[in-house]
Structure formats: structure tokens, C-alpha cells
Amino acid sequence: MTETAFTETEERAALRAAVAKLAGGYGRDYFVQQARSGGKTTDLWLEIGRHGYLGVNIPEEYGGGGGGIGDVAAVCEELAAKGCPLLMMVVSPAICGTVISRFGTAEQKQRWLPGIADGTQTMAFAITEPDAGTNSHNITTTARRDADGWVLKGRKIYISGVDEAANVLVVARAEDAKSGRLKPCLFVVPTDAEGFEYTPIPMEIVSPEQQFSVFIDDVRLPADALVGDEDAGLVQLFAGLNPERIMAASFSTGLARFALDKAVAYVKEREVFGAPIGSHQGLAHPLAQSKIEIELARLMTQKAAALYDAGDDAAAGEAANMAKYAAAEAACDAADRAVQAHGGNGITQEYGVAGLLVAARAGRIAPVSREMILNFVGMHSLGLPKSY
Ligand SMILES: Cc1cc2nc3c(=O)[nH]c(=O)nc-3n(C[C@H](O)[C@H](O)[C@H](O)COP(=O)(O)OP(=O)(O)OC[C@H]3O[C@@H](n4cnc5c(N)ncnc54)[C@H](O)[C@@H]3O)c2cc1C
């Protein structure tokens, strides 16, 4: 096959096929059963880790595959397309893996990356706070220096997968020694540290992965818990945001593909007026529309990943925001149309379609809301005045 600017490489296609095969062996029933019984997806997580798919973007010398964000995004999408959308893929290898690979010391990379790559030392990511919300510049979790290192204090909310993580990459503010101003810094905090507590938030998403309120009460950390340069916290943080958006977009396009596949299979079979309901344009057209919207979102996601992997952070930023927006919209519409196509069955647990609605909807809110993306595009792409 000849490769064009609009197709992925043969290696990427092979990676997708291998992940799809592996995920198909687990499938939606496994995922939902674990979610409803309070179980976890640890077996699937460790298996993708063992095959090298989880850490495909981590440098080879630290146990990864040496690939790019486009590779790990493909893994995330294929898992979701088989009904196993794993939010921790966005967080552990993509955000934390990227930040540590790019800014950690050799010793820090050796300590944390191999476990992120094979799935045995998952890392969660905590920036959101109850009072700051979308306005991350207002976070109040603080890092105070003491003789042995750092003391962290604060509170985080909606933090995914803390119960499954060995560590959490926490965004806190440290006092600048010269100016006294508070600047954002990144710290790796073990989930079993004294003073680190978390409680699950009951959510309506059908997923084994949960969100948590996190209480950080004078947690003591060694000096080398600080990742990278204390004066470049913001730059380092932003380095993790483009991968986050590209992964979130892939999570959404995967989910959208799964919803659409389910809807198409159903409308081909179900007959009400003596012909499959898919023969009515009232049902066929919205599904065709979803197909188009999903392919457009996938194309933009692949563009964002290609730009990021080529080192063009600025262009990747715009494309990643647009991809994430388009993918979340495509997923919401695909899930809604899949429910409609199933009629009453669309609301039953047996058919498992309505459960996709909330997961798809979360993509419009997290990790960055559609409004903040529109703010970004208005300001940076259109040159409009900042509106907030
Ligand atoms: C399933 C899920 C998993 C998550 N996992 C994590 C995680 O692992 N780690 C983590 O740190 N966080 C996580 N989050 C948090 C998530 O990133 C936040 O919920 C999100 O950033 C929005 O913040 P908020 O909920 O405080 O909403 P708010 O900031 O209160 O915003 C509420 C609404 O107001 C809108 N709004 C606010 N300001 C503006 C403005 N200037 N212009 C226009 N509209 C505006 C927002 O777009 C939103 O629609 C998760 C959230 C969910 C739902």
C-alpha cells in the first residue's frame, strides 16, 4: 500500500488491528460487567501493557515502544471502538508519560516510566480543584519547602483512577524564592503517602474507572518528587495538554464508532413495517451523518498527532483543540442516534446503549470543556479579544 499524507503508516494500521483483536476478546460485556459489579479492568490494562501497547509512546530505553502520541492515541481509539474506553490511557501514558519523558531527570524517568509503560505503576493526574474549576490559574494546592523536601497541602476533585494508581502527578503552587509569587509545579505523589486520602464520587458513567475527591493534608515528599524545572512548571504543564486533548479526541471517536456500529447492526436486523428499519431514511441519514462526522474528527485527530509528533507544538495546539471539540460532538450525536435507532431497547441495560450517553457527554466537559475550546479558537485562530 502506498502511503499518502492522508493515511496512517502500515505499522499504525497493524497496531490498530492488533489492539482491536485483543480488545475484542474482552468486549463491551466484560467492561460493563466490571463496572456494574464494582470490578476493575486490571486484566485488560496489564495485557495491553504486556504487549507494549500501553507504553507505545514511552521511550524505548525506559521500557516503552519509542513511538509517538499518534500511536498511543490509536490504541486508545481501538479499545473504545470495541466497547472498552479506558480513561486512564489519557492520563497515565499520555499526560504523565509525556511530561516525565520530556522533563524528568534520568533517575526520575528510570523510576516511573517503566511502570507506566507496562501498566504496573499507573499514574493519575490531578489539576482540577473545587473552587478553581476551569480556571486552573486559581488553584490553591500549595507546596512548601522544608528541610527534607516538600510539604503539600490542598484538595483536588474529579481525579480519575486514583484507586488504581501507584502515584499521582499533582499540580501545586510553590513559592518563588525571589519574588514570593506562587508558581505552578508538578509533583509525583505516591497514593499511599501519609496524609494523602481519597474518596470516590458517585458518577452516572457506566465505567469501572472512577473519579475521586482527593485530600492532601501536609503530605511530605522528598526533594526529587518535583518533576523537571521548578521555574518552568507552566511550560511543562502545557506540554502535557496537547497529548491529553489528542487522547481525549481518540477516546471520543472510539466511543462514537462503537455506538454507530451497534446502531447499524441493529437497524439492519430490526423489522417493523416489513423491512429493516435501516431502509427508512429517517434512520439511515442520521447514521450516515455520524459516519461523516466521526471520519472528520478522526482525520483532525490524526493531523493533531502528526503535528505534535513532528514537534510543532503551536500548530498541534490548535489542531488538538479542534479535534477534541469535533470528536466530543461526534460522540454525543452518535450515542444519541444509536439510542433512537434502538427504540425502547435503547434505554434497556440489556442493549447497553443508553449507558454510552453519559460517557460521550463527559467528553464535552473533560479534560477541557467545549466552551474553553471555543474561547481558544476565538482568541488564537480568529484573533478575537479574550472573553474571560
Ligand atoms: C469523567 C471525568 C473525569 C475527569 N478526570 C480528571 C482527572 O483525572 N484529573 C483532573 O485534574 N480533572 C479531571 N476531571 C475534571 C475536569 O477536567 C473538569 O470537570 C473540567 O475541566 C471542568 O471544570 P469544572 O467541572 O470545575 O467546571 P466549571 O469550571 O465549574 O465550569 C462549568 C461550566 O461553565 C463553563 N465555563 C466556565 N468558564 C467559562 C468561560 N470563561 N467561558 C465560557 N464557559 C465557561 C464550562 O465550560 C462548563 O461548561 C474529570 C472530569 C470528568 C467529568
PDB file of all heavy atoms in Angstrom, residues 87 91 125-130 132-135 157-160 203 205 211 362 365-372 375 387-388, ligand 1:
ATOM      1  N   LEU A  87     -10.212   5.610  30.272  1.00  0.00           N
ATOM      2  CA  LEU A  87      -9.825   6.991  30.566  1.00  0.00           C
ATOM      3  C   LEU A  87      -8.372   7.073  31.042  1.00  0.00           C
ATOM      4  O   LEU A  87      -7.673   8.058  30.784  1.00  0.00           O
ATOM      5  CB  LEU A  87     -10.753   7.504  31.678  1.00  0.00           C
ATOM      6  CG  LEU A  87     -11.129   8.966  31.726  1.00  0.00           C
ATOM      7  CD1 LEU A  87     -11.553   9.486  30.366  1.00  0.00           C
ATOM      8  CD2 LEU A  87     -12.246   9.157  32.732  1.00  0.00           C
ATOM      9  N   VAL A  91      -4.613   9.588  30.772  1.00  0.00           N
ATOM     10  CA  VAL A  91      -3.886  10.164  31.898  1.00  0.00           C
ATOM     11  C   VAL A  91      -2.477   9.577  32.055  1.00  0.00           C
ATOM     12  O   VAL A  91      -1.490  10.313  32.053  1.00  0.00           O
ATOM     13  CB  VAL A  91      -4.691   9.920  33.199  1.00  0.00           C
ATOM     14  CG1 VAL A  91      -3.922  10.453  34.391  1.00  0.00           C
ATOM     15  CG2 VAL A  91      -6.068  10.549  33.112  1.00  0.00           C
ATOM     16  N   PHE A 125      -3.493  11.884  37.318  1.00  0.00           N
ATOM     17  CA  PHE A 125      -3.109  13.289  37.119  1.00  0.00           C
ATOM     18  C   PHE A 125      -4.131  14.180  37.811  1.00  0.00           C
ATOM     19  O   PHE A 125      -5.340  13.997  37.623  1.00  0.00           O
ATOM     20  CB  PHE A 125      -3.072  13.606  35.618  1.00  0.00           C
ATOM     21  CG  PHE A 125      -2.785  15.044  35.298  1.00  0.00           C
ATOM     22  CD1 PHE A 125      -1.533  15.592  35.543  1.00  0.00           C
ATOM     23  CD2 PHE A 125      -3.768  15.867  34.749  1.00  0.00           C
ATOM     24  CE1 PHE A 125      -1.265  16.933  35.245  1.00  0.00           C
ATOM     25  CE2 PHE A 125      -3.505  17.199  34.440  1.00  0.00           C
ATOM     26  CZ  PHE A 125      -2.241  17.733  34.692  1.00  0.00           C
ATOM     27  N   ALA A 126      -3.660  15.113  38.634  1.00  0.00           N
ATOM     28  CA  ALA A 126      -4.591  15.923  39.421  1.00  0.00           C
ATOM     29  C   ALA A 126      -4.308  17.400  39.276  1.00  0.00           C
ATOM     30  O   ALA A 126      -3.318  17.905  39.811  1.00  0.00           O
ATOM     31  CB  ALA A 126      -4.517  15.514  40.892  1.00  0.00           C
ATOM     32  N   ILE A 127      -5.202  18.069  38.570  1.00  0.00           N
ATOM     33  CA  ILE A 127      -5.109  19.536  38.488  1.00  0.00           C
ATOM     34  C   ILE A 127      -6.400  20.178  38.990  1.00  0.00           C
ATOM     35  O   ILE A 127      -6.357  21.193  39.676  1.00  0.00           O
ATOM     36  CB  ILE A 127      -4.757  20.008  37.040  1.00  0.00           C
ATOM     37  CG1 ILE A 127      -4.622  21.534  37.007  1.00  0.00           C
ATOM     38  CG2 ILE A 127      -5.761  19.542  36.006  1.00  0.00           C
ATOM     39  CD1 ILE A 127      -3.993  22.079  35.739  1.00  0.00           C
ATOM     40  N   THR A 128      -7.563  19.582  38.684  1.00  0.00           N
ATOM     41  CA  THR A 128      -8.856  20.224  38.970  1.00  0.00           C
ATOM     42  C   THR A 128      -9.096  20.379  40.474  1.00  0.00           C
ATOM     43  O   THR A 128      -8.870  19.445  41.242  1.00  0.00           O
ATOM     44  CB  THR A 128     -10.002  19.398  38.347  1.00  0.00           C
ATOM     45  OG1 THR A 128      -9.696  19.164  36.977  1.00  0.00           O
ATOM     46  CG2 THR A 128     -11.333  20.132  38.444  1.00  0.00           C
ATOM     47  N   GLU A 129      -9.572  21.567  40.829  1.00  0.00           N
ATOM     48  CA  GLU A 129      -9.918  21.833  42.234  1.00  0.00           C
ATOM     49  C   GLU A 129     -11.343  22.360  42.307  1.00  0.00           C
ATOM     50  O   GLU A 129     -11.819  23.004  41.367  1.00  0.00           O
ATOM     51  CB  GLU A 129      -8.957  22.870  42.830  1.00  0.00           C
ATOM     52  CG  GLU A 129      -7.542  22.339  42.898  1.00  0.00           C
ATOM     53  CD  GLU A 129      -6.587  23.272  43.631  1.00  0.00           C
ATOM     54  OE1 GLU A 129      -7.027  24.323  44.148  1.00  0.00           O
ATOM     55  OE2 GLU A 129      -5.395  22.923  43.681  1.00  0.00           O
ATOM     56  N   PRO A 130     -12.020  22.127  43.460  1.00  0.00           N
ATOM     57  CA  PRO A 130     -13.425  22.509  43.561  1.00  0.00           C
ATOM     58  C   PRO A 130     -13.651  24.004  43.325  1.00  0.00           C
ATOM     59  O   PRO A 130     -14.592  24.374  42.623  1.00  0.00           O
ATOM     60  CB  PRO A 130     -13.812  22.124  44.995  1.00  0.00           C
ATOM     61  CG  PRO A 130     -12.691  21.348  45.561  1.00  0.00           C
ATOM     62  CD  PRO A 130     -11.515  21.440  44.641  1.00  0.00           C
ATOM     63  N   ALA A 132     -11.414  26.373  41.964  1.00  0.00           N
ATOM     64  CA  ALA A 132     -10.803  26.936  40.750  1.00  0.00           C
ATOM     65  C   ALA A 132     -11.541  26.482  39.497  1.00  0.00           C
ATOM     66  O   ALA A 132     -11.700  27.248  38.551  1.00  0.00           O
ATOM     67  CB  ALA A 132      -9.335  26.538  40.668  1.00  0.00           C
ATOM     68  N   GLY A 133     -11.996  25.225  39.457  1.00  0.00           N
ATOM     69  CA  GLY A 133     -12.690  24.686  38.282  1.00  0.00           C
ATOM     70  C   GLY A 133     -11.853  24.861  37.025  1.00  0.00           C
ATOM     71  O   GLY A 133     -10.643  24.612  37.017  1.00  0.00           O
ATOM     72  N   THR A 134     -12.514  25.319  35.980  1.00  0.00           N
ATOM     73  CA  THR A 134     -11.867  25.530  34.692  1.00  0.00           C
ATOM     74  C   THR A 134     -10.689  26.503  34.773  1.00  0.00           C
ATOM     75  O   THR A 134      -9.744  26.406  33.996  1.00  0.00           O
ATOM     76  CB  THR A 134     -12.930  26.098  33.712  1.00  0.00           C
ATOM     77  OG1 THR A 134     -13.927  25.102  33.536  1.00  0.00           O
ATOM     78  CG2 THR A 134     -12.347  26.487  32.390  1.00  0.00           C
ATOM     79  N   ASN A 135     -10.753  27.427  35.711  1.00  0.00           N
ATOM     80  CA  ASN A 135      -9.703  28.443  35.820  1.00  0.00           C
ATOM     81  C   ASN A 135      -8.515  27.915  36.636  1.00  0.00           C
ATOM     82  O   ASN A 135      -8.352  28.223  37.822  1.00  0.00           O
ATOM     83  CB  ASN A 135     -10.281  29.706  36.458  1.00  0.00           C
ATOM     84  CG  ASN A 135      -9.305  30.857  36.420  1.00  0.00           C
ATOM     85  OD1 ASN A 135      -8.182  30.695  35.936  1.00  0.00           O
ATOM     86  ND2 ASN A 135      -9.714  31.995  36.923  1.00  0.00           N
ATOM     87  N   ILE A 157     -10.420  17.534  42.855  1.00  0.00           N
ATOM     88  CA  ILE A 157     -11.730  16.904  42.628  1.00  0.00           C
ATOM     89  C   ILE A 157     -11.794  16.299  41.224  1.00  0.00           C
ATOM     90  O   ILE A 157     -11.095  16.773  40.321  1.00  0.00           O
ATOM     91  CB  ILE A 157     -12.857  17.941  42.866  1.00  0.00           C
ATOM     92  CG1 ILE A 157     -14.210  17.240  43.009  1.00  0.00           C
ATOM     93  CG2 ILE A 157     -12.903  18.989  41.784  1.00  0.00           C
ATOM     94  CD1 ILE A 157     -15.295  18.131  43.594  1.00  0.00           C
ATOM     95  N   TYR A 158     -12.637  15.273  41.083  1.00  0.00           N
ATOM     96  CA  TYR A 158     -12.845  14.543  39.811  1.00  0.00           C
ATOM     97  C   TYR A 158     -11.568  13.878  39.307  1.00  0.00           C
ATOM     98  O   TYR A 158     -11.372  13.778  38.087  1.00  0.00           O
ATOM     99  CB  TYR A 158     -13.384  15.462  38.694  1.00  0.00           C
ATOM    100  CG  TYR A 158     -14.693  16.113  39.019  1.00  0.00           C
ATOM    101  CD1 TYR A 158     -14.843  17.493  38.945  1.00  0.00           C
ATOM    102  CD2 TYR A 158     -15.780  15.339  39.420  1.00  0.00           C
ATOM    103  CE1 TYR A 158     -16.045  18.089  39.265  1.00  0.00           C
ATOM    104  CE2 TYR A 158     -16.975  15.935  39.746  1.00  0.00           C
ATOM    105  CZ  TYR A 158     -17.101  17.305  39.664  1.00  0.00           C
ATOM    106  OH  TYR A 158     -18.291  17.900  39.985  1.00  0.00           O
ATOM    107  N   ILE A 159     -10.723  13.429  40.200  1.00  0.00           N
ATOM    108  CA  ILE A 159      -9.465  12.833  39.751  1.00  0.00           C
ATOM    109  C   ILE A 159      -9.704  11.364  39.411  1.00  0.00           C
ATOM    110  O   ILE A 159     -10.126  10.578  40.260  1.00  0.00           O
ATOM    111  CB  ILE A 159      -8.348  13.001  40.813  1.00  0.00           C
ATOM    112  CG1 ILE A 159      -8.270  14.474  41.264  1.00  0.00           C
ATOM    113  CG2 ILE A 159      -7.013  12.500  40.261  1.00  0.00           C
ATOM    114  CD1 ILE A 159      -8.167  15.502  40.131  1.00  0.00           C
ATOM    115  N   SER A 160      -9.437  11.007  38.159  1.00  0.00           N
ATOM    116  CA  SER A 160      -9.739   9.653  37.670  1.00  0.00           C
ATOM    117  C   SER A 160      -8.699   8.638  38.146  1.00  0.00           C
ATOM    118  O   SER A 160      -7.495   8.934  38.136  1.00  0.00           O
ATOM    119  CB  SER A 160      -9.766   9.637  36.139  1.00  0.00           C
ATOM    120  OG  SER A 160     -10.764  10.496  35.654  1.00  0.00           O
ATOM    121  N   MET A 203     -20.675   8.720  40.284  1.00  0.00           N
ATOM    122  CA  MET A 203     -20.886   9.317  38.958  1.00  0.00           C
ATOM    123  C   MET A 203     -21.905   8.464  38.203  1.00  0.00           C
ATOM    124  O   MET A 203     -22.084   7.290  38.504  1.00  0.00           O
ATOM    125  CB  MET A 203     -19.576   9.356  38.156  1.00  0.00           C
ATOM    126  CG  MET A 203     -18.419  10.071  38.833  1.00  0.00           C
ATOM    127  SD  MET A 203     -18.530  11.868  38.867  1.00  0.00           S
ATOM    128  CE  MET A 203     -17.854  12.338  37.288  1.00  0.00           C
ATOM    129  N   ILE A 205     -21.570   7.637  35.038  1.00  0.00           N
ATOM    130  CA  ILE A 205     -20.921   6.982  33.892  1.00  0.00           C
ATOM    131  C   ILE A 205     -20.815   5.484  34.164  1.00  0.00           C
ATOM    132  O   ILE A 205     -20.443   5.084  35.266  1.00  0.00           O
ATOM    133  CB  ILE A 205     -19.490   7.536  33.674  1.00  0.00           C
ATOM    134  CG1 ILE A 205     -19.536   9.050  33.515  1.00  0.00           C
ATOM    135  CG2 ILE A 205     -18.816   6.891  32.479  1.00  0.00           C
ATOM    136  CD1 ILE A 205     -18.174   9.698  33.388  1.00  0.00           C
ATOM    137  N   GLN A 211     -14.014   8.414  39.574  1.00  0.00           N
ATOM    138  CA  GLN A 211     -13.434   9.721  39.881  1.00  0.00           C
ATOM    139  C   GLN A 211     -13.439   9.918  41.405  1.00  0.00           C
ATOM    140  O   GLN A 211     -14.328   9.379  42.081  1.00  0.00           O
ATOM    141  CB  GLN A 211     -14.235  10.852  39.213  1.00  0.00           C
ATOM    142  CG  GLN A 211     -13.914  11.056  37.744  1.00  0.00           C
ATOM    143  CD  GLN A 211     -14.336   9.897  36.873  1.00  0.00           C
ATOM    144  OE1 GLN A 211     -15.455   9.412  36.977  1.00  0.00           O
ATOM    145  NE2 GLN A 211     -13.447   9.424  36.027  1.00  0.00           N
ATOM    146  N   ALA A 362     -19.510  13.308  28.784  1.00  0.00           N
ATOM    147  CA  ALA A 362     -18.352  13.744  29.592  1.00  0.00           C
ATOM    148  C   ALA A 362     -17.256  14.327  28.701  1.00  0.00           C
ATOM    149  O   ALA A 362     -16.502  15.203  29.120  1.00  0.00           O
ATOM    150  CB  ALA A 362     -17.808  12.576  30.415  1.00  0.00           C
ATOM    151  N   ILE A 365     -17.108  17.956  28.475  1.00  0.00           N
ATOM    152  CA  ILE A 365     -16.743  18.688  29.707  1.00  0.00           C
ATOM    153  C   ILE A 365     -15.265  18.522  30.036  1.00  0.00           C
ATOM    154  O   ILE A 365     -14.580  19.481  30.398  1.00  0.00           O
ATOM    155  CB  ILE A 365     -17.612  18.179  30.879  1.00  0.00           C
ATOM    156  CG1 ILE A 365     -19.084  18.505  30.618  1.00  0.00           C
ATOM    157  CG2 ILE A 365     -17.132  18.748  32.213  1.00  0.00           C
ATOM    158  CD1 ILE A 365     -20.055  17.738  31.487  1.00  0.00           C
ATOM    159  N   ALA A 366     -14.779  17.292  29.952  1.00  0.00           N
ATOM    160  CA  ALA A 366     -13.419  16.973  30.385  1.00  0.00           C
ATOM    161  C   ALA A 366     -12.596  16.488  29.193  1.00  0.00           C
ATOM    162  O   ALA A 366     -13.163  15.939  28.257  1.00  0.00           O
ATOM    163  CB  ALA A 366     -13.459  15.885  31.467  1.00  0.00           C
ATOM    164  N   PRO A 367     -11.299  16.619  29.249  1.00  0.00           N
ATOM    165  CA  PRO A 367     -10.494  17.339  30.247  1.00  0.00           C
ATOM    166  C   PRO A 367     -10.569  18.854  30.071  1.00  0.00           C
ATOM    167  O   PRO A 367     -10.168  19.593  30.950  1.00  0.00           O
ATOM    168  CB  PRO A 367      -9.082  16.830  30.004  1.00  0.00           C
ATOM    169  CG  PRO A 367      -9.073  16.384  28.573  1.00  0.00           C
ATOM    170  CD  PRO A 367     -10.458  15.951  28.230  1.00  0.00           C
ATOM    171  N   VAL A 368     -11.065  19.293  28.919  1.00  0.00           N
ATOM    172  CA  VAL A 368     -11.272  20.731  28.745  1.00  0.00           C
ATOM    173  C   VAL A 368     -12.642  20.870  28.097  1.00  0.00           C
ATOM    174  O   VAL A 368     -13.008  20.089  27.218  1.00  0.00           O
ATOM    175  CB  VAL A 368     -10.145  21.351  27.872  1.00  0.00           C
ATOM    176  CG1 VAL A 368     -10.031  20.690  26.519  1.00  0.00           C
ATOM    177  CG2 VAL A 368     -10.355  22.838  27.660  1.00  0.00           C
ATOM    178  N   SER A 369     -13.421  21.841  28.550  1.00  0.00           N
ATOM    179  CA  SER A 369     -14.810  21.929  28.082  1.00  0.00           C
ATOM    180  C   SER A 369     -14.887  22.507  26.667  1.00  0.00           C
ATOM    181  O   SER A 369     -13.962  23.164  26.190  1.00  0.00           O
ATOM    182  CB  SER A 369     -15.620  22.816  29.034  1.00  0.00           C
ATOM    183  OG  SER A 369     -15.180  24.151  28.911  1.00  0.00           O
ATOM    184  N   ARG A 370     -16.043  22.252  26.032  1.00  0.00           N
ATOM    185  CA  ARG A 370     -16.219  22.772  24.671  1.00  0.00           C
ATOM    186  C   ARG A 370     -16.161  24.299  24.666  1.00  0.00           C
ATOM    187  O   ARG A 370     -15.646  24.913  23.745  1.00  0.00           O
ATOM    188  CB  ARG A 370     -17.520  22.249  24.048  1.00  0.00           C
ATOM    189  CG  ARG A 370     -18.778  22.808  24.646  1.00  0.00           C
ATOM    190  CD  ARG A 370     -20.004  22.001  24.249  1.00  0.00           C
ATOM    191  NE  ARG A 370     -20.343  22.124  22.843  1.00  0.00           N
ATOM    192  CZ  ARG A 370     -21.048  23.126  22.307  1.00  0.00           C
ATOM    193  NH1 ARG A 370     -21.463  24.108  23.094  1.00  0.00           N
ATOM    194  NH2 ARG A 370     -21.344  23.136  21.035  1.00  0.00           N
ATOM    195  N   GLU A 371     -16.655  24.929  25.758  1.00  0.00           N
ATOM    196  CA  GLU A 371     -16.637  26.400  25.808  1.00  0.00           C
ATOM    197  C   GLU A 371     -15.200  26.921  25.838  1.00  0.00           C
ATOM    198  O   GLU A 371     -14.887  27.924  25.197  1.00  0.00           O
ATOM    199  CB  GLU A 371     -17.401  26.906  27.044  1.00  0.00           C
ATOM    200  CG  GLU A 371     -18.907  26.704  26.977  1.00  0.00           C
ATOM    201  CD  GLU A 371     -19.319  25.276  27.249  1.00  0.00           C
ATOM    202  OE1 GLU A 371     -18.531  24.516  27.861  1.00  0.00           O
ATOM    203  OE2 GLU A 371     -20.420  24.890  26.815  1.00  0.00           O
ATOM    204  N   MET A 372     -14.325  26.232  26.574  1.00  0.00           N
ATOM    205  CA  MET A 372     -12.935  26.712  26.648  1.00  0.00           C
ATOM    206  C   MET A 372     -12.223  26.487  25.313  1.00  0.00           C
ATOM    207  O   MET A 372     -11.333  27.257  24.945  1.00  0.00           O
ATOM    208  CB  MET A 372     -12.180  26.037  27.802  1.00  0.00           C
ATOM    209  CG  MET A 372     -12.660  26.461  29.180  1.00  0.00           C
ATOM    210  SD  MET A 372     -12.902  28.255  29.397  1.00  0.00           S
ATOM    211  CE  MET A 372     -11.219  28.837  29.525  1.00  0.00           C
ATOM    212  N   ASN A 375     -13.395  29.308  23.253  1.00  0.00           N
ATOM    213  CA  ASN A 375     -12.642  30.504  23.674  1.00  0.00           C
ATOM    214  C   ASN A 375     -11.254  30.513  23.019  1.00  0.00           C
ATOM    215  O   ASN A 375     -10.787  31.536  22.539  1.00  0.00           O
ATOM    216  CB  ASN A 375     -12.472  30.518  25.200  1.00  0.00           C
ATOM    217  CG  ASN A 375     -13.750  30.943  25.918  1.00  0.00           C
ATOM    218  OD1 ASN A 375     -14.611  31.599  25.331  1.00  0.00           O
ATOM    219  ND2 ASN A 375     -13.876  30.559  27.175  1.00  0.00           N
ATOM    220  N   SER A 387     -12.181  36.648  26.119  1.00  0.00           N
ATOM    221  CA  SER A 387     -13.530  36.900  26.632  1.00  0.00           C
ATOM    222  C   SER A 387     -13.673  36.555  28.112  1.00  0.00           C
ATOM    223  O   SER A 387     -14.759  36.563  28.651  1.00  0.00           O
ATOM    224  CB  SER A 387     -14.528  36.068  25.830  1.00  0.00           C
ATOM    225  OG  SER A 387     -14.250  34.699  26.020  1.00  0.00           O
ATOM    226  N   TYR A 388     -12.586  36.193  28.763  1.00  0.00           N
ATOM    227  CA  TYR A 388     -12.711  35.796  30.178  1.00  0.00           C
ATOM    228  C   TYR A 388     -11.486  36.239  30.957  1.00  0.00           C
ATOM    229  O   TYR A 388     -10.484  36.602  30.344  1.00  0.00           O
ATOM    230  CB  TYR A 388     -12.872  34.275  30.297  1.00  0.00           C
ATOM    231  CG  TYR A 388     -11.758  33.483  29.666  1.00  0.00           C
ATOM    232  CD1 TYR A 388     -10.704  33.002  30.443  1.00  0.00           C
ATOM    233  CD2 TYR A 388     -11.741  33.257  28.303  1.00  0.00           C
ATOM    234  CE1 TYR A 388      -9.667  32.307  29.858  1.00  0.00           C
ATOM    235  CE2 TYR A 388     -10.707  32.554  27.716  1.00  0.00           C
ATOM    236  CZ  TYR A 388      -9.670  32.074  28.503  1.00  0.00           C
ATOM    237  OH  TYR A 388      -8.646  31.389  27.921  1.00  0.00           O
TER     238      TYR A 388
HETATM  239  C1  LIG B   1     -15.293  11.893  33.850  1.00  0.00           C
HETATM  240  C2  LIG B   1     -14.366  12.978  34.300  1.00  0.00           C
HETATM  241  C3  LIG B   1     -13.028  12.670  34.559  1.00  0.00           C
HETATM  242  C4  LIG B   1     -12.149  13.657  34.986  1.00  0.00           C
HETATM  243  N1  LIG B   1     -10.837  13.313  35.287  1.00  0.00           N
HETATM  244  C5  LIG B   1      -9.986  14.270  35.763  1.00  0.00           C
HETATM  245  C6  LIG B   1      -8.643  13.921  36.129  1.00  0.00           C
HETATM  246  O1  LIG B   1      -8.222  12.757  36.033  1.00  0.00           O
HETATM  247  N2  LIG B   1      -7.829  14.894  36.615  1.00  0.00           N
HETATM  248  C7  LIG B   1      -8.242  16.195  36.737  1.00  0.00           C
HETATM  249  O2  LIG B   1      -7.451  17.026  37.174  1.00  0.00           O
HETATM  250  N3  LIG B   1      -9.526  16.559  36.418  1.00  0.00           N
HETATM  251  C8  LIG B   1     -10.396  15.628  35.923  1.00  0.00           C
HETATM  252  N4  LIG B   1     -11.710  15.975  35.594  1.00  0.00           N
HETATM  253  C9  LIG B   1     -12.152  17.363  35.780  1.00  0.00           C
HETATM  254  C10 LIG B   1     -12.399  18.116  34.501  1.00  0.00           C
HETATM  255  O3  LIG B   1     -11.175  18.430  33.874  1.00  0.00           O
HETATM  256  C11 LIG B   1     -13.250  19.350  34.855  1.00  0.00           C
HETATM  257  O4  LIG B   1     -14.523  18.873  35.228  1.00  0.00           O
HETATM  258  C12 LIG B   1     -13.352  20.326  33.735  1.00  0.00           C
HETATM  259  O5  LIG B   1     -12.103  20.924  33.499  1.00  0.00           O
HETATM  260  C13 LIG B   1     -14.384  21.424  34.025  1.00  0.00           C
HETATM  261  O6  LIG B   1     -14.180  22.002  35.285  1.00  0.00           O
HETATM  262  P1  LIG B   1     -15.414  22.124  36.320  1.00  0.00           P
HETATM  263  O7  LIG B   1     -16.072  20.796  36.409  1.00  0.00           O
HETATM  264  O8  LIG B   1     -14.928  22.732  37.582  1.00  0.00           O
HETATM  265  O9  LIG B   1     -16.447  23.104  35.629  1.00  0.00           O
HETATM  266  P2  LIG B   1     -16.575  24.677  35.819  1.00  0.00           P
HETATM  267  O10 LIG B   1     -15.254  25.338  35.695  1.00  0.00           O
HETATM  268  O11 LIG B   1     -17.377  24.946  37.034  1.00  0.00           O
HETATM  269  O12 LIG B   1     -17.427  25.071  34.529  1.00  0.00           O
HETATM  270  C14 LIG B   1     -18.833  24.857  34.446  1.00  0.00           C
HETATM  271  C15 LIG B   1     -19.300  25.267  33.044  1.00  0.00           C
HETATM  272  O13 LIG B   1     -19.009  26.637  32.814  1.00  0.00           O
HETATM  273  C16 LIG B   1     -18.310  26.788  31.615  1.00  0.00           C
HETATM  274  N5  LIG B   1     -17.372  27.921  31.715  1.00  0.00           N
HETATM  275  C17 LIG B   1     -16.517  28.225  32.726  1.00  0.00           C
HETATM  276  N6  LIG B   1     -15.786  29.321  32.422  1.00  0.00           N
HETATM  277  C18 LIG B   1     -16.190  29.711  31.188  1.00  0.00           C
HETATM  278  C19 LIG B   1     -15.819  30.792  30.320  1.00  0.00           C
HETATM  279  N7  LIG B   1     -14.870  31.664  30.626  1.00  0.00           N
HETATM  280  N8  LIG B   1     -16.454  30.885  29.122  1.00  0.00           N
HETATM  281  C20 LIG B   1     -17.414  30.011  28.775  1.00  0.00           C
HETATM  282  N9  LIG B   1     -17.800  28.985  29.558  1.00  0.00           N
HETATM  283  C21 LIG B   1     -17.203  28.841  30.741  1.00  0.00           C
HETATM  284  C22 LIG B   1     -17.553  25.478  31.429  1.00  0.00           C
HETATM  285  O14 LIG B   1     -17.230  25.266  30.070  1.00  0.00           O
HETATM  286  C23 LIG B   1     -18.568  24.477  31.935  1.00  0.00           C
HETATM  287  O15 LIG B   1     -19.468  24.142  30.912  1.00  0.00           O
HETATM  288  C24 LIG B   1     -12.605  14.988  35.166  1.00  0.00           C
HETATM  289  C25 LIG B   1     -13.956  15.291  34.907  1.00  0.00           C
HETATM  290  C26 LIG B   1     -14.832  14.316  34.489  1.00  0.00           C
HETATM  291  C27 LIG B   1     -16.276  14.674  34.226  1.00  0.00           C
END
